[in-house]
Amino acid sequence: MPLLRVKMSSSTPERTPAAVLTVSDSCSRGEKEDLSGPAVAKALEQRNFQVIAHSIVADERSAIQEKLIDLCHASRLVVTTGGTGIAPRDVTPEATVKVCDRLVPGIAEQMRFDGVRKTPFAALSRAVCGVRGTSLILNLPGSPTGAVESLEAVIDLLPHALELIAGRTAH
């Protein structure tokens, strides 16, 4: 039987630059290993995103805001993990809202909708999604499983959202 040869296109699609920001007091102090950030980065890499930065900050509003602004300069997509619950130190949504020009509530709603199918605790998430300039910021929960499942719930929307944010609105 002859060998089937498939000609591969020489032009591979450009990978979208992305950054991952882990928000965790214990990880930032080196007391706990960051498992969520690498899990999210791996999920992004598998879906044609190029993770160009991964940072860890404490659950401090000003530190989160500063890092989000910094990461948006180089990345079209900035994904946070952690700090989205209802504990007193969970301030990632507030920091995100503060640096965004506009919110995209439907994306966060979709993550919660999909999440409650797996665990009722997903309803406690206060994650937000918003636009800063031509970047999209997306909050994910802090657990590795919850973060990846939340990302998977919306990842197919992200390329189109990024196209629209960049002004490519022709349909």
Side-chain angles (χ1 to χ4, degrees):
M1 179 177 268
L3 180 64
L4 177 64
R5 295 191 187 262
V6 178
K7 183 174 188 226
M8 300 299 287
S9 170
S10 61
S11 63
T12 56
E14 188 176 316
R15 296 175 54 151
T16 304
V20 177
L21 177 62
T22 298
V23 180
S24 167
D25 286 332
S26 57
C27 289
S28 71
R29 291 190 300 258
E31 299 168 357
K32 185 175 150 192
E33 181 183 359
D34 176 19
L35 301 176
S36 298
V40 167
K42 181 179 178 184
L44 287 168
E45 290 279 350
Q46 292 171 342
R47 294 299 292 270
N48 206 38
F49 289 91
Q50 180 182 9
V51 178
I52 61 171
H54 180 201
S55 298
I56 301 173
V57 295
D59 290 275
E60 296 290 342
R61 208 178 291 189
S62 61
I64 299 166
Q65 287 172 211
E66 184 178 308
K67 198 54 152 169
L68 287 173
I69 292 167
D70 183 47
L71 292 171
C72 283
H73 288 300
S75 303
R76 295 287 323 283
L77 176 65
V78 177
V79 180
T80 70
T81 178
T84 61
I86 59 174
R89 299 230 359 115
D90 289 336
V91 296
T92 303
E94 288 78 12
T96 302
V97 167
K98 193 78 168 172
V99 302
C100 285
D101 305 318
R102 295 172 289 163
L103 295 180
V104 188
I107 291 178
E109 291 165 6
Q110 181 62 40
M111 289 189 308
R112 281 186 282 277
F113 177 78
D114 192 67
V116 295
R117 293 177 176 168
K118 297 169 181 84
T119 174
F121 297 117
L124 298 176
S125 171
R126 298 180 316 106
V128 298
C129 180
V131 176
R132 178 178 176 83
T134 58
S135 297
L136 188 69
I137 301 172
L138 176 64
N139 297 158
L140 301 174
S143 79
T145 300
V148 170
E149 287 178 351
S150 293
L151 178 61
E152 288 173 351
V154 298
I155 199 157
D156 290 335
L157 300 171
L158 302 182
H160 185 63
L162 291 167
E163 287 291 308
L164 294 172
I165 293 167
R168 294 186 281 277
T169 58
H171 300 289

